[in-house]
């Protein structure tokens, strides 16, 4: 099925994508979009009977480490290196607003 992409569709997509396209760019985008839709139609013709849907081609596993409470957050070591020092539990920094 050949897809015809209208100028209005390209204008609308351009607005959504916050793009300013020249006339030449709009024509190229129309051709590209039509090719993409035609390729999707070609893929839709494939027999996928028995093929299980998936979101990733590789198994997804949790790669995060286990949360372990150590009892020390290293705050004292961080504060020791603060050039401005510490005041009321926070780092002192130079004033930035007059």
């Amino acid at each position: 099925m050949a897809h015809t992409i209208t100028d209005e569709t390209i204008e609308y997509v351009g607005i959504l994508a916050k793009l300013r396209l020249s006339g030449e760019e709009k024509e190229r985008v129309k051709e590209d979009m039509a090719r993409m839709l035609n390729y999707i139609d070609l893929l839709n013709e494939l027999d996928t009977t028995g093929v299980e849907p998936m979101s990733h081609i590789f198994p997804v596993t949790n790669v995060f480490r286990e949360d372990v409470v150590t009892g020390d957050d290293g705050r004292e070591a961080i504060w020791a290196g603060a050039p401005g020092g510490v005041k009321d539990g926070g780092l002192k920094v130079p004033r930035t607003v007059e």
Side-chain angles (χ1 to χ4, degrees), residues 27-93:
E27 288 304 314
R28 276 200 323 244
V29 169
K30 279 177 23 177
E31 293 168 9
D32 288 345
M33 194 176 290
R35 273 198 312 263
M36 285 186 260
L37 293 173
N38 288 334
Y39 186 71
I40 290 170
D41 283 342
L42 182 65
L43 291 176
N44 284 334
E45 293 175 9
L46 295 174
D47 180 18
T48 57
T49 306
V51 177
E52 189 175 327
M54 65 176 106
S55 61
H56 301 288
I57 60 171
F58 298 110
V60 178
T61 57
N62 186 354
V63 295
F64 300 112
R65 64 172 168 77
E66 191 69 31
D67 283 339
V68 178
V69 178
T70 61
D72 182 22
D73 60 4
R75 185 178 309 176
E76 299 301 324
I78 294 170
W79 285 350
V86 178
K87 180 179 180 184
D88 299 326
L91 299 176
K92 289 173 55 177
V93 295

